Amino acid sequence: LTHSSAWLGRPQETYNHGRKQRGTGTSHIYPDAITIAEEVSGMPGLAAPIEDGGFGFDYRLSMNIPDFWTKLITDHPDEEWSPGAIWYELTNRREDEKTISYAESHDQALVGDKTLIFRLADADMYWHMSHSSRTLVTDRAIALDKLIRLATATTMNGGYLNFMGNEFGHPEWIDFPRADNADLLYHDLQEFDRAMVRFIDSVKDFPSLHIEQYHIHEEDKTLAFGRGDYLFVFNFHPTRSHVGYPINVPEGAYSVV
């Protein structure tokens, strides 16, 4: 599909036909290929099967999610973070389409913008990312970066896209783990990211497990939801640690993973 052909005759029909060819043509030529659509308009059916009237892509990128996190961090102090808004953005998708959830990518970090953790920690990342010099600023940044990644990954319904080269929260674009990161907080972020991905990978059919919201409290900044036999509880409150906090969940015995 060329740019010129998209505007000849009926432009929208020609453009949509080109999309459908991309979604189905690849799978015919490469049966084992996985097709992921990067599209911002919210076109219905983009990742729905052809036989259901869709365009035949296997997945579509949830491009609203990284934009949401960036806007939340940039425009709202911690006290204004809404667990309800977070839940809505992370689960706002059509049931007939599988999506790829991600917290950030090159779109946010490689085109003159900043990585999420650099937005959170700013200049403290240059001077206070060791265990001996950590500050409240870097501790807050690391805690929120972990919460953002875990909430994004565990609410997916198709897949989770990791930001290659930024698993350990490097401040400036893509980099790779080095020996001198071992004594820094970057190492801890990398270990968290590895453990998170391994856990999700260890649960059979995790992206297909039913997801159900159990609890949202705006004042307490808490969110809880379940997937299969697993319960996920998040506390986004900047100053309050909840002890003995009651949450209504299905009856049963629970253990910490």
Side-chain angles (χ1 to χ4, degrees), residues 10 95 157 166 203 244:
R10 293 175 154 180
E95 291 185 3
N157 80 325
N166 194 252
V203 180

Side-chain angles (χ1 to χ4, degrees), residues 218-236:
E218 294 294 338
E219 184 177 348
D220 291 341
K221 307 297 181 190
T222 51
L223 165 66
F225 59 88
R227 298 201 78 156
D229 295 330
Y230 294 92
L231 172 67
F232 300 90
V233 182
F234 294 83
N235 176 23
F236 291 97

Side-chain angles (χ1 to χ4, degrees), residues 154 156 193-207 209 227 229-230 232 257:
T154 53
M156 66 175 173
D193 198 84
R194 179 184 288 115
M196 178 185 73
V197 173
R198 284 179 175 173
F199 161 71
I200 293 173
D201 191 49
S202 70
V203 180
K204 184 179 180 180
D205 298 325
F206 183 89
L209 293 178
R227 298 201 78 156
D229 295 330
Y230 294 92
F232 300 90
V257 175

